[in-house]
Amino acid sequence: MDILTLADVTFTNFVKVQALEACILGFLCFLGMVIFRFPYAGAISVVVGFTALVPIIGAFVGVIVGAFLIFMVSPVQALTFFIFFEIFLLS
């Protein structure tokens, strides 16, 4: 029973921290996108935050989706968004 309790507490804490990290990443993404005046700041930030729930590769998937959406408006801004994310949010 002790092992199951420890596993439950450990898994619950992991999920809580992963959700907190996703919220922080989504908020920072929104803040940076508003400052740099990227299009679709709210929608892309939600996508990045939601996909960040997936460990390791989730945030990258969100950035690729966001860069594609921005690419439809301006290819230069899409490249700038990708560089912004790599420099400021993943360092």
Side-chain angles (χ1 to χ4, degrees), residues 14-84:
F14 172 76
V15 171
K16 285 180 185 178
V17 170
Q18 195 72 16
L20 178 64
E21 183 219 354
C23 289
I24 291 171
L25 187 63
F27 176 74
L28 289 176
C29 184
F30 177 75
L31 192 64
M33 289 183 73
V34 168
I35 289 171
F36 289 116
R37 300 180 193 267
F38 289 119
Y40 312 120
I44 292 172
S45 298
V46 168
V47 169
V48 169
F50 184 71
T51 57
L53 291 172
V54 178
I56 301 172
I57 63 166
F60 294 111
V61 172
V63 169
I64 291 169
V65 170
F68 179 73
L69 290 174
I70 295 173
F71 183 80
M72 294 297 167
V73 175
S74 170
V76 174
Q77 279 189 328
L79 181 64
T80 307
F81 170 72
F82 189 75
I83 292 170
F84 153 75

